[in-house]
Amino acid sequence: MTEAPRILIVGGGYVGLNTALRLQRKLRRGEARIAVLDIDSYMTYQPFLPEAAAGNIEPRHVVVSLRRALDRCAIVNGMVTGVDPVSRTVALRPQLGPARVMEYDILVYAPGSISRLLPIPGLAECGIGFKSLEEAIHLRNHVLGQLDLAESTSDPEIRDRALTFVFVGGGYAGVEALAELEDMARYACRYYRTIDRGDMHWVLVEATGRILPEVGPEMGLWTLQELRARGIDARLETLMKSAEGGHIVLSDGTEFDSDTLVWTAGVKPNPLNQSSGLPLDERGRIRATAELVVEDHGGVFTAGDCAAVPDLTKPGEMCAPNAQNAVRQARTLADNVVAVLRGRPLKAYRHAYVGSVAGLGFGKGVAQIYGRKLHGLPAWVMHRAYHLARVPTFDKKVRVLTDWTLSFPFRREVVSLGALSRPREEFERAARSGPR
Ligand SMILES: Cc1cc2nc3c(=O)[nH]c(=O)nc-3n(C[C@H](O)[C@H](O)[C@H](O)COP(=O)(O)OP(=O)(O)OC[C@H]3O[C@@H](n4cnc5c(N)ncnc54)[C@H](O)[C@@H]3O)c2cc1C
């Protein structure tokens, strides 16, 4: 008896999880063996990271367990280090032990993107991104920890530095992260006797002349005015020149110190692309056809942030790297994998951008979706309804809805659990103090 074809899925994010979910639903038992390879054992629903950072959603409710959601797939955790399309193998390095080489008949390649850093002095040492749950929760604890520090110190310089928060990049990740964290810190201020909202200095640095291009120029301008009305120091057409030792220097000549530098100035395709043996475009993305097949590599599919997929609604352009495309591409991709297995024709991916929604804090939002422009409370409700409908698995929808419901009567928790990242500190102190 011949073995069922082996499908390997590199990356269990938006594309990987949604492709695997659809494949396990559509394929008959024994029609194929599916394995999902990812560093983590969960998929992160990134649009909820700002709300997780703000404490509106429990961290565990922002992620989906791959093992739980994909009960008909094998989950293999480790770092994929290379792909060899000639021998049809993928190299994987588990956390411990020898590297593995895994064979495939069909490959779904979707390792996404990483933060795009610029060679700015001090950035790599002092900055942090906002792409993972770990970063979001660290920032939540850090911001609240800075308020604790500011209230405890008698040194005005340390206090000012602790209360200065800098975000570079005015896309949805930067604007939502800043707006949600500022909203949380503003709320937390009521529990600090010596810190007033006006003592904090929240700075948004954006290189171009607009923010939040995802919601269009009109709503982008509205967002800018809303942030400024909240006291946020939003600087357009400004670059960060240096951040050495936390001393921030901007291109408009402003200089100040800060312990918080969040870098959200864009993403680039996963560097794994370079060692994938697959064809790349000038930006380092995997070249794909509209059917989501890698050019000249039948049996290898790709989609999402790592790929250059032609946008059939805008001839000559490529699909933007966003969740909207990733989810829909995953659907077409899974259908095309099934089509290959069953000897049927493939279909092309075609999707016209429907707009975007963004949360700007509790009860505040902005949206431009299906041509409708909204701001304030209606946009916030739309933002929540949209993402609740989109977050994978029924279980997560119920948990997120419960978090939101509970936050109405009980408001948010404003405690910093920064020590969670140093769990052995207390024990080591005890060890140093000796037996008596
Ligand atoms: C804060 C934030 C908010 C956002 N909000 C929105 C929004 O409101 N609307 C919208 O449309 N888009 C939004 N996006 C963008 C959206 O999340 C991405 O476009 C989407 O996640 C891309 O999906 P993907 O599957 O290509 O990559 P990902 O979802 O990032 O998945 C990639 C997976 O590959 C794994 N991986 C990477 N390298 C390796 C390796 N070497 N070996 C093994 N596994 C690997 C990763 O662990 C990850 O699980 C947001 C992004 C961020 C960061």
Side-chain angles (χ1 to χ4, degrees), residues 193-216:
R193 288 172 180 232
T194 61
I195 304 176
D196 184 59
R197 157 66 191 100
D199 297 339
M200 295 190 292
H201 185 198
W202 290 79
V203 189
L204 176 63
V205 181
E206 165 57 41
T208 69
R210 48 96 189 97
I211 60 166
L212 222 52
E214 296 83 358
V215 294

Side-chain angles (χ1 to χ4, degrees), residues 150-174:
E151 179 137 283
S152 324
T153 184
S154 55
D155 182 327
E157 271 181 33
I158 293 177
R159 180 184 153 93
D160 284 352
R161 186 181 168 115
L163 292 178
T164 301
F165 307 95
V166 186
F167 288 68
V168 184
Y172 45 47

Side-chain angles (χ1 to χ4, degrees), residues 9-18 37-40 42-50 66 76-82 91-92 110-114 130-132 135 172-174 176-177 214 264 267 270-272 303-307 320-327 329 353 355-358 383 386-387:
I9 301 181
V10 172
Y14 259 91
V15 171
L17 173 69
N18 285 295
L37 282 45
D38 200 295
I39 303 162
D40 301 315
Y42 52 81
M43 176 263 193
T44 304
Y45 190 77
Q46 288 174 334
F48 275 157
L49 290 180
L66 296 177
V76 186
N77 292 128
M79 172 78 83
V80 171
T81 53
L92 175 118
S113 56
I114 63 165
F130 198 82
K131 263 188 80 58
S132 68
E135 288 168 331
Y172 45 47
E176 285 192 278
E214 296 83 358
T264 55
V267 294
N270 195 308
L272 177 63
D305 285 8
C306 72
N322 59 37
Q324 206 176 111
N325 280 318
V327 168
Q329 286 173 351
Y353 186 60
S356 204
V357 291
H383 156 78
Y386 177 84
H387 285 302

Side-chain angles (χ1 to χ4, degrees), residues 117 122-129 135 240 243 260-263:
L117 266 71
L123 172 61
E125 295 75 30
C126 302
I128 183 167
E135 288 168 331
M240 190 179 74
T260 313
L261 171 59
V262 186
W263 180 262

